[in-house]
Amino acid sequence: MFDAKKLLDQFLGSQVPGLGGTVRDRAGDSVQTARDNPLATGAIAAVLLGTKTGRGIAGNALAIGGLAAIAGLGYQAYKNYQAGQAPAAPSDAPSANNPILLPPPAESGFGPASPAGSNEFVLVLIRAMIAAAKADGHIDDAERALIMDKIKAADVSGEAAAFIERELASPTDIDALVAAATTEEQRVELYTASRLTIEPDSRAERGYLDLLAGRLGLADQLVDHIEATVSSAKVTLSQ
């Protein structure tokens, strides 16, 4: 079995050498790199979506990491929800001097040391992201072949490339995605990963995310927190 965490980093584009400085500095550099040449970032999300949104997501994720992005955003949203806070507005996003994400506490149920950080569940997160990318129905046979050519050109090969190709070709099995998330933290991360992948600009995308949230049994207020947290992070990192 291939290293799912490495593939997730490639998926979100967090493996770019030579990016130092602050979170804001890295974000600016990463966004520009992704816009200039998405393949140079290894950002598979950008290849899948083929849109400005996809490139923006790739650049944002570069600044905060792959699994760390999903776990950190999920934990932040869940913590605020449990505290009874109002969902954050984009203007409430952290400043350049206050890093957007901190590693979730070891006992939180989020992050690499938790069940949500296992290789098996990271594969589920990648499946969820591919399903979200397919939600608007724009990936037909011709588009899928083009995507795979670009993915292979981005140095993704072997089992990892075969896995992506199978997921692109297969109908979305939302039942399997939901069943794989057995803890509340995993359910939060699965929705967060899906929402991080796309901007729900179409009815199909919004409908898919609403269906997923309902099937995961996430409270409406928790979903609002995840939506606000992801949106705020995107706004902050892309400014």
Side-chain angles (χ1 to χ4, degrees):
M1 174 57 70
F2 59 89
D3 185 342
K5 293 179 184 178
K6 178 180 178 180
L7 180 60
L8 183 58
D9 282 341
Q10 291 175 299
F11 209 93
L12 287 174
S14 64
Q15 295 181 327
V16 176
L19 291 180
T22 66
V23 169
R24 179 66 64 90
D25 291 338
R26 293 199 305 272
D29 292 344
S30 303
V31 168
Q32 191 58 51
T33 301
R35 285 174 178 168
D36 292 343
N37 184 0
L39 291 183
T41 70
I44 298 173
V47 175
L48 275 177
L49 295 170
T51 64
K52 182 177 180 181
T53 296
R55 291 192 292 273
I57 289 168
N60 295 340
L62 286 170
I64 55 180
L67 183 58
I70 295 169
L73 290 169
Y75 170 70
Q76 184 176 324
Y78 191 61
K79 179 181 67 173
N80 292 341
Y81 163 72
Q82 288 191 314
Q85 298 180 14
S91 59
D92 297 330
S95 68
N97 295 322
N98 182 19
I100 290 171
L101 295 176
L102 295 174
E107 69 277 9
S108 68
F110 292 86
S114 71
S118 69
N119 197 72
E120 181 177 304
F121 189 69
V122 173
L123 282 179
V124 175
L125 294 179
I126 297 172
R127 287 190 175 103
M129 295 172 78
I130 294 174
K134 295 191 296 182
D136 67 356
H138 84 279
I139 301 178
D140 57 18
D141 289 344
E143 180 70 10
R144 187 166 66 246
L146 179 61
I147 287 169
M148 290 312 302
D149 285 344
K150 291 181 178 180
I151 285 173
K152 289 171 184 175
D155 295 327
V156 179
S157 59
E159 287 185 75
F163 167 79
I164 295 172
E165 189 165 20
R166 286 195 303 271
E167 291 301 314
L168 285 171
S170 302
T172 296
D173 188 346
I174 197 168
D175 291 333
L177 291 175
V178 170
T182 59
T183 69
E184 183 79 349
E185 293 82 6
Q186 287 180 328
R187 290 188 282 272
V188 169
E189 289 198 17
L190 196 152
Y191 185 85
T192 300
S194 302
R195 178 60 181 83
L196 185 63
T197 306
I198 58 174
E199 286 296 322
D201 293 328
S202 70
R203 288 186 179 181
E205 290 169 324
R206 182 71 265 168
Y208 175 77
L209 288 175
D210 288 344
L211 174 63
L212 180 62
R215 294 295 303 277
L216 288 169
L218 299 178
D220 289 347
Q221 289 179 325
L222 176 54
V223 173
D224 289 343
H225 273 283
I226 297 171
E227 292 276 346
T229 301
V230 171
S231 295
S232 294
K234 288 181 179 180
V235 169
T236 299
L237 288 170
S238 61
Q239 285 176 345

